[in-house]
Amino acid sequence: MNYDIIVVGGGPAGMTAAIYAGRAGWKTLLIDPMGGGGQPSMADMIYNYPGFPNGIGGPELMDLMARQAKAFGVKIEYEEVIRITQEAQDSGASGEAGLKVSTGDAEYTARAVVYAAGTLPRKLGVSGEEKYLAKGISFCATCDGALFRDKVVAVVGGGDSALSEAVFLTQFAKEVLLIHRRDEYRAGAANVKLVDQNPKIKQLKSTVVESVRGDEVLTGISVRDLRTGEVRDLEVQGLFLYVGWMPNVEPVRHLVETDEYGYVLTNEDMSTKTPGLFVAGDVRRKPLRQITTAVGDGAVAVWSAEKYLLERG
Ligand code: NAP
């Protein structure tokens, strides 16, 4: 199927690009993985996106963006994008070579692509982790928190995600163990204060998870105190990992330049070394990864894509 513009990724960058492209009348497809909505859809509440003085639920915000895109005629498919390639075959009005977007089930072509596939959650790399993914280990408190009512859960990480989600989990869990590898949190003062004030959160600083155990489902973790070297076994039914993110770059790695961490290097207008491929949002190298900056990226990327298409007639 042929489109003018395909947007890959349904987070704030991709949704913004799709809204602008649809509104401008381009035949636009947005491809988002199953369960979509990008990183904000995993956040219980968002308090720093302008326009919502009392905050807004992450899934609700992303649902509003998807509805806005659909209202402008954007088609949305929920599939995993495996690879994007340059097409030898012409697909543009002026014979410009297009791009082919392959998912597990289908292939789509477009004259321009906005790649905004964001980041993927990082794992710990400890023994037992792979076995208990989705069997007690989760990357999304908003999605899975309610499964742990009156249970003990652990949250790993010291950034804003770990601290805010630890607070969120206290709605359900009997106790939340917040495990951070250093003595100081990376998170901002507001979240640190909320954690300090919450009696259900037990803070284990300078502590790392060494292994994960269980039977059919997770039943516990081993942790090491880095100050004393002491190793302890803790009984937990849930383990929420918030140890950062990795760029979701594989589908376009061969078409772009990346930095040493794998983030895509773009020009100021979000263009890349591949004609017609524009990259926006958290997957690109940038100083601040927030919903606000993703929205800005999406608008710039699709503006550049439109310019690219118009120049080629
Ligand atoms: P992050 O800021 O990158 O924090 C990742 C945390 O995981 C760090 O504390 C890091 O420890 C720890 N970590 C990394 N690898 C680890 C490992 N192998 N083992 C144990 N711990 C490990 O990620 P984030 O918290 O997801 O935040 C991402 C961005 O979104 C940030 O800019 C953040 O401010 C923003 N955000 C904001 C809010 C908000 O409420 N305003 C909420 C969520 C996210 P070190 O500190 O030692 O490096």
Side-chain angles (χ1 to χ4, degrees):
M1 255 164 294
N2 255 319
Y3 289 87
D4 294 320
I5 298 176
I6 292 178
V7 178
V8 177
M15 281 297 173
T16 304
I19 288 166
Y20 276 57
R23 184 162 184 250
W26 298 102
K27 188 180 172 193
T28 305
L29 170 69
L30 182 141
I31 309 177
D32 200 20
M34 208 51 155
Q39 216 173 302
S41 65
M42 294 194 210
D44 172 42
M45 288 297 289
I46 290 160
Y47 291 103
N48 58 0
Y49 189 64
F52 300 96
N54 300 315
I56 180 164
E60 189 188 349
L61 177 64
M62 296 320 299
D63 182 54
L64 287 170
M65 289 192 196
R67 281 166 47 192
Q68 198 170 351
K70 283 180 191 162
F72 286 126
V74 173
K75 186 169 168 49
I76 301 184
E77 297 280 3
Y78 294 98
E79 295 175 54
E80 194 82 41
V81 168
I82 310 290
R83 197 169 165 83
I84 299 178
T85 45
Q86 274 184 294
E87 274 282 76
Q89 196 189 327
D90 294 345
S91 63
S94 63
E96 196 69 27
L99 293 155
K100 182 167 79 182
V101 180
S102 306
T103 69
D105 298 323
E107 288 185 344
Y108 307 94
T109 51
R111 297 177 59 204
V113 168
V114 175
Y115 186 79
T119 50
L120 299 169
R122 197 180 282 146
K123 299 180 203 164
L124 293 174
V126 298
S127 123
E129 186 179 34
E130 293 298 326
K131 185 170 176 191
Y132 294 106
L133 289 176
K135 292 180 180 170
I137 299 181
S138 169
F139 302 99
C140 179
T142 306
C143 324
D144 299 330
L147 302 173
F148 299 94
R149 199 171 289 280
D150 299 325
K151 305 255 174 25
V152 179
V153 301
V155 173
V156 185
D160 282 310
S161 295
L163 272 67
S164 57
E165 300 306 324
V167 171
F168 171 72
L169 284 164
T170 60
Q171 288 178 51
F172 312 104
K174 183 165 68 181
E175 185 176 45
V176 176
L177 310 176
L178 177 59
I179 300 171
H180 179 40
R181 65 183 177 183
R182 287 190 297 131
D183 243 350
E184 284 192 1
Y185 292 119
R186 180 176 293 275
N191 280 323
V192 174
K193 192 172 170 196
L194 288 176
V195 162
D196 283 339
Q197 287 172 343
N198 195 312
K200 276 184 152 186
I201 299 178
K202 185 170 167 193
Q203 303 180 44
L204 306 182
K205 291 184 183 170
S206 292
T207 299
V208 292
V209 175
E210 289 211 319
S211 64
V212 169
R213 65 173 185 282
D215 35 51
E216 284 304 298
V217 293
L218 177 88
T219 57
I221 55 176
S222 283
V223 297
R224 177 185 293 274
D225 185 321
L226 296 175
R227 291 160 297 197
T228 62
E230 184 197 358
V231 177
R232 283 190 294 157
D233 285 337
L234 303 174
E235 284 186 18
V236 301
Q237 284 80 50
L239 178 64
F240 289 84
L241 303 182
Y242 288 105
V243 293
W245 306 86
M246 301 176 309
N248 186 6
V249 71
E250 276 324 309
V252 292
R253 190 184 285 282
H254 53 293
L255 300 177
V256 298
E257 311 275 2
T258 57
D259 71 5
E260 65 268 43
Y261 305 107
Y263 288 95
V264 177
L265 301 173
T266 65
N267 300 309
E268 205 182 356
D269 64 356
M270 309 293 153
S271 61
T272 64
K273 70 174 186 182
T274 300
L277 178 63
F278 302 86
V279 172
D282 283 9
V283 69
R284 75 182 194 95
R285 184 167 81 176
K286 57 195 290 190
L288 181 65
R289 293 190 174 83
Q290 296 281 294
I291 302 177
T292 45
T293 60
V295 164
D297 276 12
V300 173
V302 86
W303 173 81
S304 302
E306 287 189 75
K307 202 158 153 269
Y308 171 86
L309 294 179
L310 291 170
E311 276 168 8
R312 281 155 185 81

